[in-house]
Amino acid sequence: MTMDKSFDAAAAEARISAEWERRNAFAAGANARRSETFTVMIPPPNVTGSLHIGHALNNTLQDILVRWHRMRGFDTLWQPGQDHAGIATQMVVERRMAERQEPGRREIGREAFTAKIWDWKRESGGTIINQLKRLGASCDWSRNAFTMSGAPGAPAGEEGNFHDAVIRVFVDLYNKGIIYRGKRLVNWDPHFETAISDLEVENREVPGHMWHFKYPLAGGETYEYVERDADGNVTLRETRDYISIATTRPETMLGDGAVAVHPSDARYAPIVGKLVEIPVGPKEHRRLIPIITDEYPDPDFGSGAVKITGAHDFNDYGVAMRNGIPLYTLMDGKARMRADGLSYAESAAIATRAAQGEDVGDVAAVNLVPEDLRGLDRLEARRRVVDEITAEGLAVTYLHKEIEPETGAEHLERRPMIEAKPIMQPFGDRSGVVIEPMLTDQWFVDTARIVGPALEAVRDGRTQILPEQHRKVYFNWLENIEPWTISRQLWWGHQIPVWYDEDGNQYCAPTEAEAQAMAPGRTLTRDPDVLDTWFSSGLWPIGTLGWPEPTEALKKYFPTDVLVTGFDIIFFWVARMMMMQLEVVGDVPFRTVYVHGLVRDEKGAKMSKSKGNVIDPLTLVDAYGADALRFTLTSMAAMGRDPKLGPKHVEVNRNFVTKIWNATRFAEMNGVRGGGARPQPAHTVNRWIIGETARILMATDEALASYRFNDAATGLYAFVWGKVCDWYVEFAKPLFDGEHAEETRATMGWVLDQCFAMLHPIMPFVTEELWALTAERDRMLVHGDWPELGAELIDAEADRQMNWVIALIEGVRSARAQMGVPAGAKLDLIVTEADEAARAALAANGPLIERLARVNAPADGAAGRGMIAVSVQGASFALPIGDVIDAAAETARLQKAVQKSRKDAEGLQRRLSNPKFVENAEAEVIEETREKLAALEDDIARLEAALVQLAAM
RNA sequence: GGGCGGUUAGCUCAGCGGUAGAGCACUACGUUGACAUCGUAGUGGCCACUGGUUCGAUCCCAGUACCGCCCA
C-alpha cells in the first residue's frame, strides 16, 4: 500500500475523533499507569458561546498538557463544562423570543421563561462542545458539567450537584456574616435593569462636555475671592456672591447634597460652612446646601469646588458617607428621571431641613426632580437644566469676540463656558449602555474577610502564577478589593436562598421548607434576585467534582494541577476561585495558574466584530486542519506575549504537517516499519540520530514542564524538519542498499515513532493517523507511551563525525553554488590534506558525502589549476571545476571567507589577551574560547594556503 | 494619576551575561530514489537612546523617548 501524497485532514479528523470517542480514550484515568494524578479544569465557556480564537489557544494549551501527562501514564482528568452565563443567556433567549414575536418574559412569567432557557440550552447549548471536539480537545466529555445543573426546574439530564453546592456555600457564608444585604451605591445597568459588579463595567473615554455654573451664596452674601500663583503673589482678587462649580452631568445637580472644597483651599476658607443655592428647580423652592470640606476635591482641578451628589457618583458617595450628606435618588431603573415619591415642593422642603442640619430620616421617598422633568430621559433632562440655568444668567460665561470681515466691526458677546473634553464613562460590558451608579438594596460578599488566605497562598507559593508578572496584578487587585455585589435582578441564575417575612426579617436556608421552619407561622416571600454567574463559577473546581458530596473524584483530583486561562479573567474568576475554595474547603483550587496572552490579528490589533478582523478558528481548521492551527497557536504561545495570528502562519504549519507526512511516506516506500524497540545500530548516522532524538525529547520535556509551549513547538519543528528530513532521511538514502540497510530501516522506524509521540500532544490527528499507518499497534497513540530517553544515548563520537560531514557537505555546496557550478554536475573531490579524525569520518561516510555533495569518491591528490578550495576542520579539499575557472571570482570568495574568519578570530584573540578575562572568566568559557580560536586559525590557514596556490597558477 | 509590559533582519517574533536566531518576504540556482504544501545557496541587524555594573551587556541596573495594556 502506498500512502497518499498528503494528509487529508478533514477526513482523518472526523474518523479519528470518532474512534477516540468510541474507545473512551479521554475518560478520567484512561491509560493511567501510575498513581499520580493530573487534573485540569476547563475555563467553562458560556453556554451561549461559540468557539473563538481565544478558546482555540486556551484549549490547545490545556490539551497539550493533558495529552502529555496521559501518555506519561498519569491518572489524568480534563474536566469540561459550561457556564450558564446569566445576563448573556437571558439576553440571547429574550432576543430570540422577540424575533419570533412571542410574548416577552414578563408576560409569561419567571417559571415559563426559565423553562424556555432550558429548552434553548437543550437545542443550542452544545455548539461549543462540538467545536472543541473538532479542535481535538481530549476532555472527559462524559463528565461534562454545567453551573446550573440541579437547579429547580432543570429538566431530565440536567441533574447534578452544582445548584446544591452554590446554595450551600451561600447559606454558609450568610451564616458566617460574610454575605450580607445592604443599600449601597452599585453599578446599575439601565438596559437589563440589574446591578452588575464593578468588573462588568468597562470605562471608556468618550467626548463629553464640562459645564461651569455659579452656585449663589444664600441671602446674597459676598466674600473676597483671591487667587494666587505658586509664589503666593495675588493674581486675581474680586468680590463674589457665588461659588463656581464644574460638572459633566448637570442633571444630577438636582440631587446635590453639598458643595465640597479641599480643607487646605484658602480661596474658599471664608465661606466654608455657609449655604449656597442650587441654581436649578422652581424659583420658589430653591434648595440650599452647605459648603463642606473633604480631602476628595482637587484644588488644582477646575474651580477646586465639587458638587456632591451622593446617590449618583461613586466619589461623591464616599464624600457623602464621610460627611453625613443625604443621598437623593433622581433616577429610576431605566435611568429616567424619577416620577415616584413626594412632590417636588414637599421634597425640597425636606432637603432644605436636612441641609440645615436636621435629621430627616430615610429620604427614599424624597424626589427632587421638578414635576416638569419627571419621567424624562436623563439626557433630555440635562438639556433642560442647562437651558434654564443659562437663561437665568447663572452659567459661567466668557467674552466671545467676533469681527465682521467686511466692516471690521467687533461684536462682543458673553457665552456660557462649555468645555468640550473627553470624559471617562462607564459602559455595561454586555449591554453596551451607559452604567448609572444607583442606590439600591443588594447582596454583597464581604471580600475583605476571605481575601487573606487567597493572598497568602500565592505569596507562599502553594499556588504559582505564571508568568510571574501577573502575580503583581493579582496582589494589587486583592489588596485593594471592594465588596462584591453578587445579586442580579435577573431570572436566569441561582435564586438567592433568602426569604422575608411580613416585617422584612431574613431567613436564609437551603430550601423554603427549612426557611419556613425557622419562621413558624409567618408568611414568607423569597428574594427574587439571582446570584452573579461568577459566584457559581467561583466554585467550579469543587463543584465539578461532586462537592458537597465527598466523592471519590473530589478526593482524587482536587486540588487541581494547573489552570490555563487568559489574563482578562484573573479578577473575575481566578481570584474568586482562590478565595472561595480556600474559604469553603480550606485548600487552593490549583497549584499553578498559567496565564496566556490574547490572540491578536497579524497587525497586533485586538480582534473585534466592529473592526471586522475576527479570525474564525473553524475556518482555519477547515482550510488547513486542526493540527496546523494547534501547532501555530502553540508555537506563538511565548509566555507573557500576545500571539499575532494570520492565515499565513497556519499555512506554513500545514506545510509542516505535509512534511512529516511525506517523510513517513518515503520511509514506508523503503520498507521502514514502526513499532520496533530502540535499535542499537553500528553506523554513525544511525547512532547520531538516536542521540539527536534523545536530545530533542529532553528539551521538549523541559519546555513543557516549564510551560514554554513555543519552545516545545519550535524545537520539534527544527528537529523534524531540520534534522530528520533535511539530513537523516537524505543520509539514509544511500544506506538502504548496503550492509547497514536493516539497521537503518529499524532506526528510521524508531525515530519516526518517537516523532509521532513527541508531536502528538500538539498535533494529535496527523500523528495518530501516521501511527496507525506505520505498524500494527496494540494501542492508539493517544494512549501510547511518551518516550523516555536519556543523555546516555548521545554518542559523542557519532555527533562529532556527523557534524563534520555536514560541514563538509555544506562547504562543497556553498563553493559550488558561489562558483556557478551546475547543480547536476558531479565533481571530483580531491583530499589535499586531512588529519586522522577527518580521514576516519571520510572513510565511514563516503557514500553519504558523495551523494549529498554530488562528488565522486574522495581521493588524495594535490590542488591544481581549475580547482576551487574547500576547507573543513582538520582537512582541505580541492574541487576541479574545469579549465575555465574564474580565478578572480574564486579569489574573492576565499578572501571574503578569510575576512570573516579573521574578524571573528580577532575578537576572540582580544578577549584572550585581556588578562582580566583570563583571571575572571570561568575556566570552561576560557577553554571554549581557545578552542574556537584554534578552529578559526586552522580555517584561516587553510583558506590562505588555497589563496596562495590560486595566485601561483 | 497608579500599576504592568514592549522597542532585536523589510514583516511577525524567539533569545535574556560569553559579540545574534527562526519563519515569512527577497535574490540566484534547481525536478538528485518522500515532499514545489519542496530542495540548495545567498542578501539582510550600531539588538530604541544615554549612562552604570562587569574581564565581558541585546541580556542586569538607572534614566530618556516612543508604543501598548490594566486600574482609577
Side-chain angles (χ1 to χ4, degrees):
Chain A
M1 181 205 80
T2 356
M3 287 167 58
D4 293 334
K5 259 190 121 173
S6 64
F7 174 56
D8 182 354
E13 285 169 12
R15 177 163 34 77
I16 290 168
S17 279
E19 189 59 18
W20 282 334
E21 200 145 337
R22 198 181 66 75
R23 299 200 190 191
N24 288 322
F26 309 151
N31 202 41
R33 295 188 303 276
R34 52 211 272 186
S35 58
E36 297 115 293
T37 58
F38 182 73
T39 315
V40 175
M41 296 283 160
I42 203 170
N46 284 356
V47 67
T48 54
S50 58
L51 194 78
H52 60 64
I53 197 75
H55 292 123
L57 170 66
N58 178 252
N59 288 287
T60 296
L61 300 183
Q62 291 176 77
D63 198 39
I64 289 167
L65 294 173
V66 165
R67 285 178 185 270
W68 180 48
H69 280 89
R70 192 186 288 119
M71 289 175 78
R72 292 204 291 162
F74 282 73
D75 184 333
T76 303
L77 165 63
W78 186 8
Q79 173 66 49
Q82 289 153 289
D83 189 288
H84 68 275
I87 292 183
T89 309
Q90 183 160 327
M91 187 168 81
V92 164
V93 175
E94 276 195 272
R95 194 185 297 147
R96 187 167 85 149
M97 286 161 62
E99 277 162 13
R100 296 180 174 183
Q101 306 199 322
E102 292 170 358
R105 76 175 160 105
R106 287 184 205 283
E107 284 174 70
I108 64 173
R110 184 167 189 150
E111 220 170 295
F113 180 66
T114 49
K116 270 192 179 294
I117 296 186
W118 281 113
D119 284 346
W120 175 87
K121 197 241 172 195
R122 185 166 38 77
E123 288 169 38
S124 321
T127 306
I128 195 160
I129 300 292
N130 292 321
Q131 293 173 327
L132 285 169
K133 287 181 182 176
R134 282 208 58 198
L135 201 65
S138 66
C139 301
D140 183 351
W141 299 111
S142 69
R143 297 182 54 92
N144 198 44
F146 185 46
T147 55
M148 274 291 279
S149 73
E158 297 286 357
E159 304 87 357
N161 63 301
F162 227 100
H163 182 71
D164 290 347
V166 169
I167 294 303
R168 183 156 169 149
V169 168
F170 185 98
V171 173
D172 182 44
L173 296 183
Y174 178 92
N175 289 334
K176 287 180 185 163
I178 293 169
I179 286 180
Y180 62 92
R181 186 169 167 82
K183 188 172 219 136
R184 294 178 41 127
L185 199 62
V186 298
N187 295 294
W188 184 267
D189 187 314
H191 176 75
F192 292 117
E193 295 185 61
T194 178
I196 56 177
S197 77
D198 45 3
L199 287 178
E200 291 160 282
V201 174
E202 239 177 73
N203 288 296
R204 292 206 294 261
E205 201 176 73
V206 295
H209 296 94
M210 180 82 98
W211 285 269
H212 298 260
F213 298 126
K214 295 173 180 171
Y215 280 43
L217 283 170
E221 272 197 67
T222 61
Y223 67 108
E224 196 74 350
Y225 177 85
V226 182
E227 259 179 26
R228 294 170 194 276
D229 64 16
D231 302 324
N233 303 314
V234 174
T235 55
L236 174 70
R237 181 189 294 272
E238 63 181 17
T239 302
R240 284 188 176 176
D241 60 355
Y242 66 91
I243 187 165
S244 174
I245 301 284
T247 180
T248 57
R249 306 199 51 189
E251 74 280 12
T252 64
M253 288 166 68
L254 295 163
D256 286 354
V259 167
V261 297
H262 196 272
S264 70
D265 197 331
R267 292 171 296 178
Y268 302 113
I271 52 168
V272 166
K274 296 191 187 298
L275 295 174
V276 288
E277 182 188 313
I278 303 175
V280 285
K283 270 270 182 208
E284 59 279 24
H285 301 298
R286 275 293 155 82
R287 284 207 295 126
L288 297 176
I289 50 173
I291 298 172
I292 61 167
T293 57
D294 192 273
E295 295 292 325
Y296 165 63
D298 175 1
D300 297 326
F301 187 80
S303 68
V306 182
K307 63 194 256 335
I308 300 301
T309 320
H312 291 283
D313 180 279
F314 284 97
N315 289 316
D316 292 8
Y317 180 75
V319 177
M321 295 308 278
R322 284 194 289 275
N323 295 278
I325 306 298
L327 308 169
Y328 301 116
T329 299
L330 297 172
M331 293 169 211
D332 64 16
K334 290 189 161 65
R336 288 178 310 219
M337 305 312 282
R338 280 176 75 178
D340 65 334
L342 302 172
S343 69
Y344 182 78
E346 292 169 294
S347 300
I350 294 171
T352 300
R353 294 204 329 263
Q356 284 155 350
E358 200 178 311
D359 182 4
V360 294
D362 187 9
V363 294
V366 171
N367 181 354
L368 289 167
V369 181
E371 271 74 13
D372 61 328
L373 299 180
R374 292 190 177 193
L376 290 183
D377 180 82
R378 60 199 190 283
L379 294 179
E380 177 56 26
R382 178 179 303 173
R383 268 188 287 278
R384 301 250 199 126
V385 165
V386 170
D387 288 350
E388 277 176 35
I389 305 175
T390 309
E392 205 177 315
L394 287 172
V396 176
T397 55
Y398 70 99
L399 211 50
H400 180 80
K401 183 156 74 172
E402 219 165 344
I403 300 170
E404 251 179 59
E406 283 134 46
T407 60
E410 287 187 11
H411 296 276
L412 288 174
E413 189 193 356
R414 292 212 77 86
R415 290 192 177 177
M417 194 158 118
I418 304 169
E419 285 174 71
K421 59 173 274 180
I423 54 170
M424 290 304 285
Q425 205 160 31
F427 291 86
D429 64 356
R430 286 284 160 191
S431 63
V433 303
V434 173
I435 295 302
E436 282 298 330
M438 292 278 270
L439 199 59
T440 55
D441 281 308
Q442 301 292 342
W443 289 95
F444 298 93
V445 171
D446 189 356
T447 39
R449 283 182 56 189
I450 57 172
V451 74
L455 281 164
E456 208 38 52
V458 174
R459 282 205 189 103
D460 69 21
R462 269 174 297 150
T463 292
Q464 184 191 21
I465 297 180
L466 292 174
E468 292 226 339
Q469 69 223 37
H470 289 290
R471 276 165 59 98
K472 293 183 195 164
V473 180
Y474 175 87
F475 289 142
N476 200 304
W477 191 69
L478 286 184
E479 280 161 2
N480 299 293
I481 196 160
E482 294 285 321
W484 173 15
T485 313
I486 51 170
S487 44
R488 297 288 180 277
Q489 287 65 52
L490 304 172
W491 286 353
W492 178 238
H494 299 284
Q495 194 172 353
I496 285 168
V498 172
W499 284 260
Y500 305 98
D501 65 16
E502 305 89 324
D503 302 325
N505 296 308
Q506 298 169 4
Y507 304 93
C508 178
T511 62
E512 178 154 18
E514 286 165 87
Q516 190 67 67
M518 292 161 76
R522 323 236 31 177
T523 307
L524 297 185
T525 320
R526 187 168 186 175
D527 192 306
D529 291 355
V530 301
L531 286 165
D532 179 9
T533 304
W534 297 101
F535 187 90
S536 44
S537 46
L539 296 167
W540 189 244
I542 52 173
T544 49
L545 294 172
W547 191 88
E549 296 303 315
T551 60
E552 277 301 304
L554 191 65
K555 218 160 78 189
K556 197 174 187 181
Y557 296 116
F558 186 85
T560 72
D561 288 273
V562 52
L563 178 78
V564 178
T565 189
F567 60 85
D568 49 330
I569 53 174
I570 291 180
F571 306 144
F572 274 106
W573 193 47
V574 179
R576 282 162 180 175
M577 281 193 286
M578 288 292 287
M579 290 192 284
M580 291 176 88
Q581 256 62 208
L582 281 160
E583 174 63 26
V584 173
V585 293
D587 207 343
V588 294
F590 16 74
R591 302 185 203 285
T592 300
V593 179
Y594 174 80
V595 180
H596 61 245
L598 179 82
V599 184
R600 298 167 176 278
D601 74 6
E602 308 152 89
K603 296 187 201 103
K606 228 179 195 168
M607 292 189 194
S608 74
K609 277 182 196 158
S610 54
K611 272 189 227 152
N613 61 347
V614 175
I615 298 176
D616 176 10
L618 293 176
T619 308
L620 292 173
V621 170
D622 289 338
Y624 304 110
D627 292 325
L629 175 62
R630 289 171 59 117
F631 194 90
T632 305
L633 291 169
T634 308
S635 62
M636 296 194 303
M639 215 188 278
R641 295 288 285 249
D642 288 342
K644 291 176 192 165
L645 178 76
K648 186 78 199 163
H649 300 124
V650 188
E651 192 187 325
V652 166
N653 289 311
R654 187 274 319 270
N655 295 352
F656 178 53
V657 171
T658 308
K659 188 74 181 177
I660 187 169
W661 177 270
N662 274 297
T664 308
R665 178 163 169 263
F666 165 78
E668 202 247 359
M669 287 161 61
N670 285 279
V672 170
R673 302 295 289 159
R678 178 165 55 80
Q680 304 210 314
H683 198 283
T684 322
V685 168
N686 293 321
R687 296 211 312 274
W688 165 76
I689 197 64
I690 288 173
E692 289 288 355
T693 308
R695 230 182 227 137
I696 192 62
L697 187 261
M698 290 186 287
T700 303
D701 274 333
E702 207 199 314
L704 291 178
S706 46
Y707 303 93
R708 287 182 287 109
F709 294 98
N710 60 318
D711 284 350
T714 49
L716 285 166
Y717 185 97
F719 173 70
V720 170
W721 201 312
K723 289 251 155 67
V724 176
C725 295
D726 287 350
W727 291 108
Y728 181 63
V729 167
E730 295 303 324
F731 284 148
K733 286 174 182 174
L735 296 182
F736 280 141
D737 298 326
E739 56 174 320
H740 297 289
E742 271 324 298
E743 69 163 53
T744 301
R745 286 197 177 86
T747 305
M748 186 175 288
W750 177 85
V751 167
L752 287 172
D753 275 0
Q754 311 312 302
C755 290
F756 304 153
M758 288 188 287
L759 283 169
H760 181 78
I762 309 180
M763 307 201 302
F765 292 107
V766 69
T767 51
E768 189 74 83
E769 181 80 343
L770 290 170
W771 181 255
L773 284 172
T774 46
E776 289 297 322
R777 317 267 185 179
D778 54 356
R779 284 176 285 166
M780 290 183 84
L781 184 56
V782 64
H783 288 171
D785 294 339
W786 184 255
E788 284 179 31
L789 311 169
E792 72 281 359
L793 295 178
I794 298 168
D795 181 330
E797 178 54 20
D799 238 30
R800 202 198 57 75
Q801 212 172 82
M802 291 323 297
N803 287 334
W804 187 89
V805 169
I806 288 170
L808 170 58
I809 292 166
E810 284 178 340
V812 172
R813 281 174 176 170
S814 177
R816 291 174 59 121
Q818 286 180 57
M819 294 308 293
V821 177
K826 206 165 185 191
L827 305 179
D828 283 335
L829 181 65
I830 297 167
V831 185
T832 57
E833 190 194 335
D835 63 15
E836 210 172 311
R839 289 205 177 275
L842 273 179
N845 302 286
L848 282 53
I849 295 163
E850 291 160 39
R851 184 186 183 88
L852 297 194
R854 290 198 69 75
V855 291
N856 294 316
D860 285 343
R865 212 175 172 70
M867 298 189 194
I868 54 177
V870 171
S871 153
V872 206
Q873 179 74 54
S876 295
F877 300 88
L879 296 155
I881 62 168
D883 294 333
V884 281
I885 181 176
D886 183 346
E890 171 69 349
T891 306
R893 181 180 77 84
L894 294 174
Q895 267 168 355
K896 196 179 157 198
V898 169
Q899 266 163 25
K900 193 185 176 300
S901 293
R902 255 204 208 119
K903 199 180 150 221
D904 291 350
E906 272 164 28
L908 296 174
Q909 187 66 62
R910 213 174 308 129
R911 248 155 81 191
L912 283 166
S913 56
N914 179 352
K916 285 180 179 169
F917 172 70
V918 185
E919 270 166 48
N920 295 307
E922 286 169 52
E924 265 178 49
V925 173
I926 297 172
E927 187 50 31
E928 215 177 283
T929 311
R930 288 212 170 102
E931 279 168 20
K932 267 192 219 160
L933 181 61
L936 278 172
E937 279 171 346
D938 175 78
D939 191 40
I940 293 166
R942 280 170 209 299
L943 289 165
E944 280 178 340
L947 276 167
V948 167
Q949 267 171 356
L950 196 61
M953 282 171 226

